[in-house]
Amino acid sequence: MTVRQDVHSAGIPVLCQSCEARHRGVCGALDPEQLVGLAKTSSKQQVKPGMELIGDAETVDCYSNVLSGVVKLTKSLSDGRQQIVGLQFAPDFLGRPFKAESAINAEAATTVSLCSFPKAAIERMMKESPELEHRLFKQTLNELDEARDWMVTLGRKSASEKVASFLLMIAKNIDPAVDAAAESTSFDLPLTRADIADFLGLTIETVSRQLTRLRTDSVIRIDNNRHVTVENMSRLERRSGA
Amino acid sequence: MTVRQDVHSAGIPVLCQSCEARHRGVCGALDPEQLVGLAKTSSKQQVKPGMELIGDAETVDCYSNVLSGVVKLTKSLSDGRQQIVGLQFAPDFLGRPFKAESAINAEAATTVSLCSFPKAAIERMMKESPELEHRLFKQTLNELDEARDWMVTLGRKSASEKVASFLLMIAKNIDPAVDAAAESTSFDLPLTRADIADFLGLTIETVSRQLTRLRTDSVIRIDNNRHVTVENMSRLERRSGA
DNA sequence: CGATAGTTTGACACAGCTCAATAGGCGTGG
DNA sequence: CCACGCCTATTGAGCTGTGTCAAACTATCG
């Protein structure tokens, strides 16, 4: 994508010009002047898979935009059982407003690039600009809708339906254009089998068995453990239980 | 509770004067003038258990405050399997801002009293008063936190831990003062066994068995099927898996 | 007092878990 | 280029917790 220097990007920090968070994310709420102010204290960073971004019960002092990659939000029981309670893709906003301590863990599932700002800067800007708070509110409502969708999956679907639902969700996130009509799609799984298990409330073994079942039934193909090709979208959808 | 006509309630509609939603709910964001405006179009109503408040995929044209009782938010799969994805107590706000259609069902679990307003009135007021939107945002963040807590319960806890967690949650909601230190508490279950099963992703039978196990282990007592006395709060907590 | 809806209890089946062994992918170093 | 080791994923065998189906029990209300 070429960065055009036209009326729309006049006065916008270089950092932000081609940034997805400005187009579809929360930064879209800010005018050039505010962007400049924020860009002064913000910093881009690249994070390797497995790195912890926010620790449970840790004081959080920065918020971030996810620019690429996938972040997993997890919660754990005292004995180590873990559950993924959310996945964040670009250009999601990462952080829990109005709370000093995080109740969840955030960890890079893939290589992730982030744009981080000090907590205080965002909170000041939220007071000045109702539009920013409005955008964050809308994202939170979407996350709540997603969380509730997954509660149905966790509570009421069988293992094979869970795995099918997961693949569908990933396919739709990677390529928002795909739907049941599409013949086939293909993508890299952003999660390991262990992560998928933590996301679906299953064990690694069960996830693996269900994936091979989908493979032997030629609903999907799997290459190199990570690359999935959905051969037949509508059959996958029928297996998702929705 | 007597309604005092003092400086704090000057100009406030009679309807709102002793209303919990004005004290702890979203109406606290409104000034007397706005309350008067809203009260003109609002109406209190009483709803019997089992009544549907919002239908899935139905156009919603009113929002409500829950004034008493418990509302269950549910989602269903096409074959009838059902999952409760949220419970709302007074003074929660009921409704999904910025969306014409609801993706979930809302149903009275107990007798519920509501204060309802036209959707348009709230949305107009939200534009005028950032403080109102701010309160709704905060409630949504809390609901998201709760939803994620339950995802751990749904995905990773055993049936007995689920039932214990459910009893703890209800106890804390009925009497916010109780904690592990408290010797015992007692309350009426706002849900039937079938509802509890739908909430925990279990069957009626499993819920029943786990409740009798808690009873025979004298962690709780049950009278008339609905009234529960927690004999030993900390033992219940230990069984909840947290 | 019977009717109805909700709840409990029992016997059995099976989906998904556990433990254990094998296979495959990938980077390192010879 | 192959050999090795590490990590991740797959496959198998057996077990167990929870679901299923059916029957008995209880509360509530006309």
Side-chain angles (χ1 to χ4, degrees), chain B residues 151-166:
Chain B
M151 289 174 79
V152 181
T153 302
L154 287 172
R156 288 303 184 197
K157 289 190 188 175
S158 68
S160 66
E161 290 170 329
K162 284 181 179 178
V163 171
S165 304
F166 170 75

Side-chain angles (χ1 to χ4, degrees), chain B residues 158-159 201-203 205-206 209-210 224:
Chain B
S158 68
L202 299 170
T203 57
E205 294 92 329
T206 301
R209 278 187 249 270
Q210 296 303 334
N224 296 333

Side-chain angles (χ1 to χ4, degrees), chain A:
Chain A
M1 198 193 295
T2 49
V3 178
R4 292 176 305 152
Q5 179 67 39
D6 60 16
V7 61
H8 290 105
S9 53
I12 291 176
V14 183
L15 241 160
C16 307
Q17 279 180 16
S18 64
C19 179
E20 215 183 338
R22 216 190 85 245
H23 292 108
R24 302 191 297 120
V26 292
C27 290
L30 304 174
D31 58 36
E33 194 186 340
Q34 292 173 310
L35 276 177
V36 170
L38 195 55
K40 268 195 219 122
T41 57
S42 73
S43 67
K44 271 198 189 177
Q45 49 179 315
Q46 193 98 349
V47 181
K48 287 254 159 289
M51 281 296 301
E52 189 176 77
L53 305 174
I54 303 172
D56 186 14
E58 213 173 73
T59 331
V60 182
D61 42 28
C62 77
Y63 294 140
S64 307
N65 275 317
V66 179
L67 303 185
S68 73
V70 178
V71 174
K72 53 182 186 176
L73 307 178
T74 68
K75 276 180 157 278
S76 299
L77 300 175
S78 48
D79 62 1
R81 280 174 288 177
Q82 203 176 41
Q83 175 69 42
I84 295 185
V85 297
L87 289 178
Q88 307 220 268
F89 301 82
D92 288 346
F93 179 84
L94 181 61
R96 167 63 161 88
F98 318 129
K99 255 204 178 161
E101 280 198 2
S102 171
I104 63 183
N105 253 339
E107 190 182 315
T110 64
T111 298
V112 169
S113 65
L114 294 175
C115 183
S116 310
F117 339 90
K119 200 169 145 74
I122 293 286
E123 292 189 337
R124 181 162 21 83
M125 233 161 241
M126 221 172 351
K127 276 187 196 125
E128 288 167 17
S129 156
E131 173 63 15
L132 175 58
E133 183 160 16
H134 182 71
R135 293 240 183 170
L136 286 168
F137 185 18
K138 278 187 136 175
Q139 180 187 313
T140 303
L141 282 165
N142 281 333
E143 285 180 36
L144 183 57
D145 288 345
E146 281 168 29
R148 285 175 170 167
D149 276 342
W150 279 112
M151 289 174 78
V152 182
T153 302
L154 287 172
R156 288 303 183 198
K157 290 191 186 173
S158 68
S160 66
E161 291 171 328
K162 284 181 180 181
V163 172
S165 305
F166 170 74
L167 291 176
L168 271 180
M169 189 227 75
I170 295 296
K172 284 177 183 159
N173 245 300
I174 303 280
D175 178 4
V178 308
D179 56 353
E183 279 297 295
S184 73
T185 338
S186 119
F187 51 86
D188 275 336
L189 287 176
L191 303 185
T192 65
R193 302 293 186 272
D195 285 337
I196 300 174
D198 281 348
F199 190 65
L200 298 174
L202 299 171
T203 58
I204 303 181
E205 294 92 330
T206 301
V207 171
S208 181
R209 278 187 247 271
Q210 296 304 332
L211 283 174
T212 57
R213 206 152 77 83
L214 286 172
R215 188 153 39 77
T216 57
D217 296 357
S218 31
V219 179
I220 60 172
R221 261 188 320 124
I222 305 181
D223 303 312
N224 296 333
N225 282 343
R226 281 294 187 114
H227 192 78
V228 173
T229 306
V230 181
E231 306 269 20
N232 191 320
M233 210 62 183
S234 53
R235 273 176 71 200
L236 186 61
E237 212 144 52
R238 246 172 295 129
R239 286 179 182 234
S240 75

Side-chain angles (χ1 to χ4, degrees), chain B residues 167 170-172 174-175 178 182-189 220-221 223 226-231 233:
Chain B
L167 291 176
I170 295 296
K172 283 177 184 160
I174 303 280
D175 178 3
V178 306
E183 279 298 295
S184 75
T185 338
S186 117
F187 51 85
D188 275 337
L189 286 177
I220 60 172
R221 260 188 322 124
D223 303 312
R226 281 293 189 117
H227 192 76
V228 172
T229 306
V230 181
E231 306 269 18
M233 211 61 184

Side-chain angles (χ1 to χ4, degrees), chain B residues 113-158:
Chain B
S113 64
L114 294 175
C115 182
S116 309
F117 340 88
K119 199 169 145 75
I122 291 287
E123 291 187 340
R124 182 162 20 86
M125 232 161 242
M126 222 172 348
K127 275 185 199 130
E128 287 167 17
S129 156
E131 172 64 15
L132 175 59
E133 184 160 16
H134 182 71
R135 291 237 184 172
L136 285 168
F137 186 18
K138 279 187 133 175
Q139 180 187 313
T140 303
L141 283 165
N142 282 332
E143 284 180 36
L144 183 57
D145 288 345
E146 281 168 29
R148 286 175 169 168
D149 276 342
W150 278 112
M151 289 174 79
V152 181
T153 302
L154 287 172
R156 288 303 184 197
K157 289 190 188 175
S158 68

